Amino acid sequence: MLIEGENLQVLRILQKSYYGKVKMIYIDPPYNTGNDSFVYPDDYSETLAEYQRRTGDRNEAGFLNRQSLWKKNTKENGHYHSAWLSMMYPRLYLARNLLRDDGVIFISIDDNEAANLKLLCDEIFGEDNFESIVWKKKGGAGNTEKILGCLTEHVLCYFRKKAADIFNYRNMDRVYKYEDEISEYNLEGIEKTNSGIYERPTMLFGIKNQKTKELFYPSSGMRWTLGKEKIEELIKENRLYFDDEKKKVYVIKRPDDYSQSKNVYYNLLTDCGSLATAKDEIANLGLPREIFDTPKPTGLIKYLLNLATQSDSLILDFFAGSGTTMQAVMELNLEDGGHRQCICVQLPEKLEENTEAYKAGYHTIADITRARIAKVIEKLKKEKSAETQNQACAQFTLSPSCFKVWRADVADGAALREQLEMFRHAEKEEKTDAQTAMLAELLLKMGLGALGVQAIVKSETVAGLTVHRVLLNENRELWLCFEPYQSALKDEIAKARPAQVVLLNSCFTGEKADEQLANLQLELQGLGIALTVI
């Protein structure tokens, strides 16, 4: 699902439906190099509203001018770092809410804000939930003003609740030196230096060879890496090897034992693609190669997906850019037979007219995102037509609510009656695709989401009316109808017995509208069917 809109607002809207459901978040936010586009008030003696009126961010009616929300944050700005951190903080705070307990967020960043971003994330996610990844982005420094040529970028990693088994185990090609009647195996030492901060007297006990009854002790200046309890467990499982000649004790490591290892991934990524690879991937799709200065390769995102997701995981990227995350998810699903789902969010930020992308016909970054996703789907269908039947991307645009807002501050009787009369039609004036827009909005507000549920929404004609049937589970359905009510619909509802029915107040028209609604409420109540009237 691609959502075109301001990501802070989108994250707020996603809270109810996707709270605690996202397995992995990856974002590649603006690096705050002085050329990035976003704005926060730079004069903190003013209120936000005052600042926006002075700078033209609000029009005479008091409404925000959307396209002026994001501007360049130059290094001459006295609040250069503060503005960027103020932009990031609420977004990361809301993103944390969406993560599952075993969820993880990866954030690409360079040296400009890496230290500040870590402190910010420590506050939001907890410093105990931190891990760090270094990605080698290019092979040479090129032209640089720095004394040290920079070949790497950071990928900050924060867990919702850090635990050893959150990352997937990785199959590795191993060479085995030994073999017996059971299987191939290796021998792994269990000694470690016993000095300074590593000194632990309790790890100097003797281990008895069950065959010879001889006690083996660590070498001079060394200690065991395993405690007594673990050693006793290994003895019972016959997984210790005693070398009588060297007076050493080893753990027998068979293929199945390696699959239980928790430390098979490393934080230095040298073979996950580069900036040049990323630009080549964009060019191979028929898009201008230099659309972005620092795009990420799909190889990097796939590595993180393999690290942190399962085949049915939900992934979120709310700084979608060119849509690399979406492409990586689609390709990985085809590679391993998974059915991961992905939500990408991108602001329709205007491109400069002198850019290569604008000259190619793309006027906003969101235009590029949409185009890349469409080209990826087309490419995959050509390459693997049989396996790509479920490859699709639902597209949404953030827009004002389809429904009027109830004014709770109205106290005057006449004004209250006027508002009640106005709310006979709770929906705003009809617009293009009004039913689709109302359906998506209501599903989100009911906590059902737009991704996943969309696949099990059937819009069909029932009693002459368009009814949207949402499968909640094997035995429960939700029915939504936005067209004028017909009594025949009640009979169809009684036959189908959905768990809940949602209708608009404006569905009931004519002189007997109130009577129709009252009768329907009573009859559905008798059938145990919940009725919601908007």
Side-chain angles (χ1 to χ4, degrees):
M1 178 168 69
L2 172 64
I3 304 173
E4 181 179 321
E6 206 285 314
N7 57 13
L8 181 60
Q9 296 184 47
V10 173
L11 287 169
R12 287 172 177 155
I13 291 170
L14 296 179
Q15 292 293 300
K16 186 170 184 180
S17 289
Y18 297 100
Y19 185 92
K21 294 181 179 178
V22 177
K23 183 64 173 72
M24 172 183 145
I25 298 174
Y26 171 79
I27 56 171
D28 185 15
Y31 281 6
N32 204 23
T33 61
N35 298 314
D36 301 317
S37 301
F38 63 89
V39 68
Y40 266 75
D42 56 6
D43 183 350
Y44 291 113
S45 65
E46 297 178 290
T47 66
L48 177 58
E50 290 170 341
Y51 171 86
Q52 290 168 334
R53 289 193 182 93
R54 177 173 62 79
T55 58
D57 287 336
R58 284 187 185 272
N59 59 24
E60 293 180 359
F63 293 103
L64 287 171
N65 294 318
R66 292 286 175 196
Q67 292 301 334
S68 64
L69 279 176
W70 289 51
K71 297 179 182 175
K72 288 182 179 179
N73 181 41
T74 64
K75 292 187 177 181
E76 288 72 28
N77 175 11
H79 297 280
Y80 175 62
H81 295 291
S82 298
W84 187 85
L85 291 168
S86 295
M87 183 273 293
M88 291 296 294
Y89 183 87
R91 289 160 176 80
L92 292 174
Y93 187 90
L94 291 175
R96 181 181 181 273
N97 293 339
L98 300 178
L99 284 175
R100 294 170 18 172
D101 282 348
D102 62 347
V104 60
I105 181 171
F106 298 102
I107 309 172
S108 283
I109 199 69
D110 69 0
D111 288 339
N112 283 288
E113 294 291 357
N116 292 325
L117 179 61
K118 182 185 183 303
L119 293 175
L120 185 71
C121 290
D122 284 348
E123 179 179 334
I124 295 172
F125 298 96
E127 59 184 307
D128 292 340
N129 288 314
F130 170 70
E131 294 280 351
S132 177
I133 296 173
V134 177
W135 167 56
K136 185 179 179 184
K137 64 180 179 181
K138 55 185 180 179
N143 295 325
T144 178
E145 297 178 356
K146 293 187 175 183
I147 296 175
L148 296 175
C150 185
L151 306 183
T152 63
E153 283 187 8
H154 311 280
V155 181
L156 302 189
C157 167
Y158 280 87
F159 301 89
R160 183 71 169 82
K161 292 183 180 179
K162 189 174 180 179
D165 59 351
I166 287 178
F167 285 163
N168 299 318
Y169 297 131
R170 181 175 62 163
N171 293 324
M172 299 179 68
D173 294 329
R174 297 184 184 275
V175 177
Y176 294 93
K177 296 182 179 180
Y178 311 101
E179 186 174 1
D180 59 17
E181 65 279 3
I182 300 175
S183 69
E184 298 176 307
Y185 67 93
N186 283 326
L187 297 178
E188 186 176 278
I190 58 170
E191 290 185 348
K192 185 176 183 179
T193 301
N194 189 47
S195 62
I197 61 172
Y198 300 108
E199 188 171 3
R200 294 179 63 185
T202 57
M203 305 293 276
L204 299 174
F205 55 89
I207 302 177
K208 182 184 288 188
N209 184 335
Q210 300 301 306
K211 294 181 179 178
T212 65
K213 307 304 180 184
E214 181 182 359
L215 285 174
F216 284 68
Y217 290 91
S219 304
S220 177
M222 308 291 282
R223 65 171 175 84
W224 301 128
T225 59
L226 304 174
K228 286 185 178 180
E229 186 175 335
K230 182 61 178 177
I231 290 295
E232 290 174 2
E233 179 183 323
L234 293 172
I235 290 174
K236 290 179 181 178
E237 295 173 356
N238 197 28
R239 289 178 54 201
L240 287 184
Y241 178 85
F242 294 86
D243 189 322
D244 295 318
E245 185 176 330
K246 295 181 180 180
K247 300 300 179 184
K248 296 277 189 180
V249 181
Y250 299 92
V251 173
I252 298 172
K253 296 277 285 189
R254 301 187 186 277
D256 289 344
D257 299 324
Y258 281 110
S259 69
Q260 298 171 17
S261 175
K262 297 180 177 64
N263 300 309
V264 293
Y265 286 96
Y266 305 104
N267 74 336
L268 177 61
L269 308 184
T270 59
D271 57 353
C272 292
S274 63
L275 294 178
T277 304
K279 291 183 178 183
D280 289 342
E281 289 175 339
I282 291 173
N284 290 338
L285 291 170
L287 295 167
R289 188 176 190 276
E290 301 297 329
I291 280 182
F292 292 100
D293 293 332
T294 57
K296 300 301 177 288
T298 55
L300 173 63
I301 313 302
K302 285 182 187 177
Y303 182 93
L304 300 177
L305 290 167
N306 277 316
L307 191 70
T309 71
Q310 286 81 47
S311 62
D312 60 349
S313 294
L314 175 60
I315 297 97
L316 170 65
D317 181 350
F318 52 90
F319 284 99
S322 68
T324 306
T325 301
M326 188 79 79
Q327 179 174 348
V329 170
M330 287 181 172
E331 290 182 352
L332 186 60
N333 278 343
L334 290 178
E335 290 170 14
D336 66 6
H339 45 279
R340 299 169 186 84
Q341 294 181 313
C342 181
I343 301 175
C344 280
V345 184
Q346 179 55 48
L347 180 81
E349 180 187 350
K350 285 187 176 180
L351 297 170
E352 300 290 341
E353 293 186 11
N354 61 350
T355 60
E356 185 180 354
Y358 192 93
K359 294 174 183 177
Y362 305 104
H363 294 170
T364 69
I365 293 180
D367 290 343
I368 299 170
T369 316
R370 282 197 308 273
R372 179 174 185 171
I373 292 171
K375 289 176 181 293
V376 167
I377 292 175
E378 181 182 2
K379 174 177 175 285
L380 293 178
K381 286 185 175 179
K382 286 181 179 178
E383 293 176 353
K384 301 182 179 181
S385 58
E387 297 92 340
T388 57
Q389 299 306 309
N390 294 324
Q391 294 287 351
C393 179
Q395 297 189 17
F396 295 87
T397 301
L398 185 68
S399 63
S401 172
C402 298
F403 302 96
K404 299 170 184 174
V405 178
W406 179 267
R407 289 189 56 192
D409 60 333
V410 172
D412 178 71
L416 184 58
R417 282 191 293 274
E418 182 181 344
Q419 186 170 211
L420 285 168
E421 183 62 30
M422 181 181 69
F423 266 81
R424 285 184 176 274
H425 290 75
E427 66 276 21
K428 294 178 182 177
E429 292 183 9
E430 190 165 332
K431 56 183 179 180
T432 306
D433 295 328
Q435 288 214 19
T436 302
M438 284 191 291
L439 177 63
E441 180 175 348
L442 289 174
L443 290 177
L444 282 166
K445 288 182 174 178
M446 297 174 75
L448 297 175
L451 180 62
V453 173
Q454 287 291 74
I456 50 176
V457 174
K458 294 181 180 179
S459 298
E460 53 189 42
T461 302
V462 178
L465 304 175
T466 300
V467 173
H468 308 284
R469 300 174 59 174
V470 182
L471 183 63
L472 301 177
N473 55 42
E474 292 183 0
N475 302 312
R476 300 177 68 236
E477 277 192 346
L478 164 69
W479 282 25
L480 302 98
C481 181
F482 309 130
E483 296 178 356
Y485 174 77
Q486 303 290 335
S487 57
L489 178 62
K490 177 185 63 179
D491 299 330
E492 296 298 327
I493 294 173
K495 291 178 185 176
R497 297 291 182 95
Q500 185 178 2
V501 175
V502 176
L503 301 173
L504 301 177
N505 192 60
S506 59
C507 290
F508 300 91
T509 59
E511 296 179 359
K512 296 185 178 181
D514 292 340
E515 182 181 335
Q516 280 182 326
L517 174 55
N519 288 337
L520 180 62
Q521 286 174 323
L522 287 172
E523 294 200 35
L524 295 190
Q525 184 179 355
L527 294 171
I529 300 172
L531 174 63
T532 299
V533 179
I534 298 171

